[in-house]
Amino acid sequence: MRERGLFGEEEDILYVKGSGWDLETIEAPGFAPVRMAHLLKLARLEALSDPQMMNELATQVTRVGAPAPSVEAILHAILPYPFVDHTHADALLAITNTPDGERRAREIYGMDTVIIPYVMPGFDLARKCARQFAAEARPDTIGMVLMNHGLFSFGSTAREAYERMIALVGRAEAYLAREHAWDLPRPAAVTAPASLRHELARLRREISDCAGFPVVLATHSAPQYLDFARRKDAVLLSQQGPATPDHVIRTKRVPMLGRDVAAYAAAYREYFNRHAPAAKAPKTMLDPAPRVVLDPDFGLGCVGRTAKDARIVHDLYAHTIEVILRAAALGGYRALPERDIFDVEYWDLEQAKLKKAGAPPVFAGEVALVTGAASGIGKACVEALLRRGAAVIGLDINPDIPKLMDGRADFLGVRCDVTAVPEISAALEAGMRAFGGLDMLILNAGVFPAGRRIAALGAEEWRRVMQVNLDANFSLMHECHPLLKLAPNGGRVVIIGSKNVPAPGPGAAAYSASKAALTQLARVAALEWGADGIRVNTLHPNAVFDTAAWTGEVLAARAAHYGISIEEYRKGNVLKVEVKSRDVAELAAEMCGPLFAKTTGAQLPVDGGNDRVI
């Protein structure tokens, strides 16, 4: 794009995708504007290290705050077209990952594209493309194929480049169809075992220990994944390498087959030791833990430092399976040699990112479960934990709970009646399949009935309050204990009690008694579970009025009982402050963090100071 500078000078600017942006959702700020003239000069150099290249690119960006330009900026610059699209089309990857992939690509595209043998991304690839494209391109050339990597299309307008990309990919798909390699066999109607939560939590713990940090393990048991994991030739197909080397950063070179984490880690170390000595610069070994797991019981497991990372792994490997199966049908899947994969995995640029990476969020890779998560303190707890990097399972009887966080990768909302043990069991199964384990349990769900003195309190209402506030929490603790024992950093439980435990009031017998019994249960759990590395603490909030428990009717009744206004009742504490759901949630989250790492069995008020408690 031709642009005029501050002093009237004109220059060509290349707008290239910025590092870290997703083309599916990219907006204008996601493109880095880079001076074209400097990029073309760089393309003429005989040698340039990738760190030097990225430094040069950074010096030529014309907008402060723009993202780092794509490592392929020089490659885009040398292509003499106003608009260039670049994809990693599955159909083309299926064709190029075969023994005679280049011949097939030439058969499909003829002279319409320039075909470049595989070269590692970066400056060397840009230089190779510049020379070969200059020698082979014709006026009617519309694209370029990078073997085992991707496809470029060109155009005088954005629409033309896009439509040519669709047409080029369509030709690859049509070729696969003609060769009976496009329509994949329908997977067998197989299912996973009904209950896997304890096995998944154990596997997630072993992978976390291997990685050196907690991870999310998301499992996917759709028929196509179970079928692929159970294939007799699963070793042959899955242990060659990724569909394109770029994936190795997210997926590692090969998946783990089954659950022998120690064997996988040993093989990874051998892989590193085979190739690191030949590298141009010393390499620091990455953690040896798998990122993809293929298992006949659960199908596909995807590992990430966060739930978002695990989702990206799933997206990549779901496509990889289709690429592998189509390549196998076409003539046999053949990935690049492992040396080429190693070079991308241990690229100087990726090593530099590791050194610059800041500390992850405090709960990165950890999983929390919150009850009563749809509103009030529960919802605030969900938000506080998400802000600290946790993946969160939210339980609530409200049927809208699945939509609470608008499809975020790190939140699973499950409609659950916590008084029904089968529903708790089903919710935990769903949570473990989504995230792999459990580190934190926030027991918040409860009911606070309208004030009623003992003489007027019916047995049915008494039992209902006990069932929700006490029995359900016992069931949750009982069911979650085996999972919390496997938490990589130790399990944590925070129970939302009440000021009514140390200072009950008239008209709240069932509520006060249920919360007092729950507090006593928490104290016993702290004594019993300490040996398992699980700490259990209790918060006693009071007068948190932005919760579902405090209806206008209840609030007015309590204020009238004390003969004060509703506003006075809201701030009726020593500090004269209003306690809100977020105040309780932030402390609940902190009690799961390192600040309280040596605290268990504690009871902490969150009430602005209550004279009766004090």
Side-chain angles (χ1 to χ4, degrees):
M1 184 177 293
R2 194 79 173 162
E3 294 188 356
R4 187 181 300 276
L6 181 64
F7 300 103
E9 75 284 6
E10 288 191 345
E11 57 183 344
D12 290 322
I13 302 296
L14 172 70
Y15 280 83
V16 66
K17 187 185 85 72
S19 178
W21 282 77
D22 187 337
L23 278 177
E24 184 180 9
T25 56
I26 196 168
E27 298 178 358
F31 290 91
V34 191
R35 293 185 176 90
M36 180 74 85
H38 195 74
L39 293 175
L40 296 176
K41 288 180 182 178
L42 293 175
R44 293 193 290 270
L45 294 175
E46 287 299 315
L48 184 67
S49 73
D50 288 325
Q52 285 177 312
M53 178 184 70
M54 295 309 294
N55 182 71
E56 289 295 319
L57 296 183
T59 67
Q60 300 302 311
V61 174
T62 63
R63 187 181 77 239
V64 173
S70 165
V71 69
E72 291 169 341
I74 298 175
L75 173 54
H76 281 268
I78 58 96
L79 298 171
Y81 304 92
F83 293 89
V84 177
D85 287 352
H86 177 197
T87 73
H88 300 258
D90 287 359
L92 181 64
L93 290 174
I95 292 163
T96 60
N97 279 289
T98 58
D100 54 352
E102 185 172 341
R103 176 191 65 78
R104 293 179 184 276
R106 294 188 184 280
E107 180 182 339
I108 294 165
Y109 296 121
M111 301 299 291
D112 290 340
T113 68
V114 174
I115 296 178
I116 310 292
Y118 176 77
V119 178
M120 179 176 167
F123 178 75
D124 290 344
L125 176 60
R127 186 179 60 174
K128 170 71 175 174
C129 289
R131 293 178 177 178
Q132 189 169 338
F133 195 82
E136 298 182 13
R138 308 188 321 174
D140 56 352
T141 296
I142 62 172
M144 181 169 67
V145 174
L146 303 184
M147 292 296 295
N148 303 90
H149 180 97
L151 180 65
F152 286 73
S153 63
F154 322 125
S156 57
T157 66
R159 175 172 290 278
E160 184 176 49
Y162 171 77
E163 289 177 346
R164 285 177 171 176
M165 174 62 70
I166 298 301
L168 290 170
V169 174
R171 285 160 71 172
E173 292 176 354
Y175 178 86
L176 290 169
R178 288 196 304 272
E179 297 294 320
H180 307 289
W182 177 250
D183 293 323
L184 298 175
R186 187 181 184 89
V190 291
T191 56
S195 180
L196 283 170
R197 66 178 183 267
H198 297 114
E199 291 91 331
L200 293 176
R202 192 171 299 110
L203 177 59
R204 181 246 182 176
R205 171 61 185 267
E206 291 177 6
I207 295 174
S208 297
D209 289 347
C210 180
F213 47 79
V215 299
V216 168
L217 169 62
T219 57
H220 305 270
S221 299
Q224 65 267 31
Y225 302 137
L226 288 166
D227 187 69
F228 188 74
R230 295 174 182 181
R231 287 179 67 108
K232 293 179 180 178
D233 57 355
V235 174
L236 173 65
L237 294 181
S238 71
Q239 298 301 293
Q240 292 192 46
T244 180
D246 306 59
H247 291 182
V248 72
I249 305 302
R250 295 284 189 174
T251 66
K252 291 202 181 286
R253 191 180 72 87
V254 295
M256 179 172 73
L257 290 176
R259 306 180 199 175
D260 193 339
V261 179
Y264 183 93
Y268 184 88
R269 293 186 184 97
E270 291 173 3
Y271 155 76
F272 178 83
N273 292 332
R274 275 197 302 275
H275 299 294
K280 295 177 182 178
K283 302 298 181 185
T284 300
M285 193 182 84
L286 304 171
D287 74 82
R291 294 300 186 271
V292 178
V293 183
L294 294 172
D295 184 90
D297 281 344
F298 58 74
L300 174 63
C302 301
V303 178
R305 189 67 191 265
T306 66
K308 182 180 178 180
D309 290 340
R311 178 177 283 186
I312 292 171
V313 171
H314 167 258
D315 292 346
L316 293 176
Y317 207 76
H319 285 274
T320 297
I321 289 174
E322 294 189 357
V323 169
I324 289 173
L325 293 177
R326 289 193 172 108
L330 187 61
Y333 179 69
R334 188 176 74 179
L336 286 167
E338 66 173 44
R339 175 74 219 188
D340 291 317
I341 307 302
F342 178 89
D343 287 342
V344 174
E345 185 175 5
Y346 283 88
W347 199 357
D348 288 344
L349 298 182
E350 293 301 325
Q351 293 272 296
K353 285 182 184 178
L354 291 177
K355 294 176 182 177
K356 292 180 181 178
V362 64
F363 293 152
E366 296 199 300
V367 184
L369 186 148
V370 180
T371 65
S375 62
I377 293 173
K379 182 181 178 183
C381 285
V382 169
E383 293 166 345
L385 292 161
L386 290 173
R387 280 194 296 272
R388 289 163 171 81
V392 181
I393 306 160
L395 307 189
D396 203 285
I397 200 166
N398 187 331
D400 292 331
I401 185 66
K403 298 180 287 186
L404 182 67
M405 291 295 157
D406 295 326
R408 286 181 59 150
D410 51 4
F411 178 77
L412 175 71
V414 181
R415 194 271 177 198
C416 178
D417 179 353
V418 292
T419 67
V421 174
E423 292 195 28
I424 292 174
S425 181
L428 290 175
E429 191 70 29
M432 297 311 98
R433 290 179 188 247
F435 302 130
L438 184 64
D439 303 273
M440 295 167 275
L441 175 62
I442 313 294
L443 294 176
N444 163 72
V447 291
F448 183 38
R452 204 180 310 279
R453 291 180 177 269
I454 294 172
L457 179 61
E460 184 176 341
E461 183 173 353
W462 169 272
R463 284 192 293 269
R464 182 178 72 88
V465 174
M466 287 293 174
Q467 187 180 31
V468 176
N469 291 359
L470 178 61
D471 298 348
N473 287 314
F474 164 77
S475 298
L476 281 155
M477 292 172 71
H478 179 269
E479 294 294 316
C480 290
H481 175 254
L483 306 173
L484 292 166
K485 281 178 63 175
L486 293 167
N489 290 336
R492 284 137 282 165
V493 181
V494 176
I495 290 173
I496 306 301
S498 170
K499 179 275 302 180
N500 281 35
V501 173
Y511 178 78
S512 300
S514 66
K515 288 292 187 178
L518 177 60
T519 300
Q520 197 74 344
L521 178 64
R523 294 174 69 193
V524 174
L527 292 169
E528 294 180 353
W529 293 3
D532 297 322
I534 303 170
R535 58 186 201 262
V536 184
N537 294 294
T538 303
L539 294 180
H540 291 314
N542 183 43
V544 184
F545 299 113
D546 58 345
T547 67
W550 282 97
T551 63
E553 177 189 354
V554 172
L555 183 58
R558 300 310 294 167
H561 173 79
Y562 289 105
I564 57 177
S565 70
I566 292 177
E567 181 64 20
E568 288 174 318
Y569 188 66
R570 285 181 182 275
K571 298 181 179 180
N573 53 58
V574 172
L575 296 176
K576 303 300 180 187
V577 295
E578 184 175 350
V579 180
K580 296 188 176 182
S581 293
R582 178 165 178 168
D583 300 322
V584 182
E586 289 295 314
L587 185 51
E590 284 301 316
M591 293 193 86
C592 292
L595 191 63
F596 288 85
K598 298 180 181 179
T599 300
T600 193
Q603 299 181 53
L604 225 59
V606 194
D607 57 9
N610 183 280
D611 54 357
R612 294 176 59 215
V613 173
I614 294 172

